[in-house]
Each structure stands twice: as C-alpha cells, then as structure tokens.
C-alpha cells in the first residue's frame, strides 16, 4: 500500500481535487495498484466541509465526484503517508517546517513534481477566481497525477 496525501491551504479546492483525480485515474486504469489517498489543508477554517461547490462542479464535468470532508494537516501524517504533495511553494515550505527529520522532509514534494507539462509549477489557488481557474487546477492535476502514477509504478 502506497499512501498519498494532497495538501493545500483550505482543503476545499486544490487538494480534494487532487485526491479525486488520483482515485479516478487509478480506478480507470490499474486496479492492481493499491493506494491510500487523502487530502488536507494547512488551515482549519473549513474542517468538516465538502469541497467548494465550484470545484465539485468542474470535477463532475470530467466524471469525478468529490466527496472528501476537509481536515487539517497533522504531524502524524508523516508516519501514515509516503508522498505528501503540496499545492504551492507556501504550503511546501510549511510542510518542510513541520518535518522532524530528513526522511520526513523527503516525503514532501510539489503536486506537480511528477508532471510532464507543469513540472514544479504551483497549482494556483482558484478560490477568488472564475470557472477557467478551476479548470486549470484540474488540467494541472490530471497531468500531475498521471506522472505520479507512472513514477510510483516504476519505484514499487
Ligand atoms: P484551497 O483554496 O487551498 O485550494 O482549498 C482555498 C480555500 C479557502 C481559502 C483559501 C484557499 N480560505 O482562505 O478560506
């Protein structure tokens, strides 16, 4: 079992979309790969909430239903997950700061670290944006999750 945790700021837009996208891609292509996928936020403002309705709508248009409930990042997540994926450089730095060892730090990457088209770019926060910003998040996450799956399969 490989554990993957997506992390953004509020856990209602980018990271739940990453969680949903990765689960969707695994369901569609490779049932033999056992992944445990979750998402969380650095901030606790939206704990317990479903993803933002605009994010859910944009995902549903691609056949992806987002059902996660917002939770906040906890230090214990370093023990429970192998890949801890940050939406942007601010979140990346927060996670680096929380890491208590080089091993924990080595689990932290940008969400786009394994992408072919968007490698090492931030996934821009769509919260104050429009429909096209939510679509861009999904485009970036689709490419990133495809790259991540390839990487995981090669490193099992
Ligand atoms: P996310 O977007 O980090 O992609 O979930 C945000 C959602 C809410 C807030 C910030 C970012 N907020 O400040 O409430």
């Amino acid at each position: 079992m490989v554990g993957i945790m997506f992390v953004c700021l509020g856990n209602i837009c980018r990271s739940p979309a990453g969680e949903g996208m990765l689960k969707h891609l695994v369901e569609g292509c490779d049932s033999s790969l056992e992944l445990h996928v979750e998402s969380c936020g650095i901030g606790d403002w939206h704990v317990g909430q479903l993803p933002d309705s605009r994010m859910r709508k944009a995902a549903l248009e691609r056949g992806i239903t987002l059902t996660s409930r917002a939770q906040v990042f906890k230090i214990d997540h370093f023990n429970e997950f192998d890949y801890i994926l940050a939406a942007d450089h601010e979140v990346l730095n927060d996670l680096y700061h929380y890491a208590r060892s080089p091993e924990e730090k080595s689990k932290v990457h940008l969400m786009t670290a394994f992408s072919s088209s968007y490698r090492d770019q931030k996934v821009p926060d769509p919260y104050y944006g429009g429909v096209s910003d939510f679509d861009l998040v999904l485009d970036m996450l689709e490419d990133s999750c495809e790259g991540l799956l390839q990487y995981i399969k090669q490193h099992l």
Side-chain angles (χ1 to χ4, degrees), residues 8-16 45-46 87 124-128:
C8 62
L9 192 55
N11 193 209
I12 54 168
C13 296
R14 295 166 292 175
S15 62
W45 316 287
H46 301 284
D125 185 349
Y127 192 60
Y128 295 105

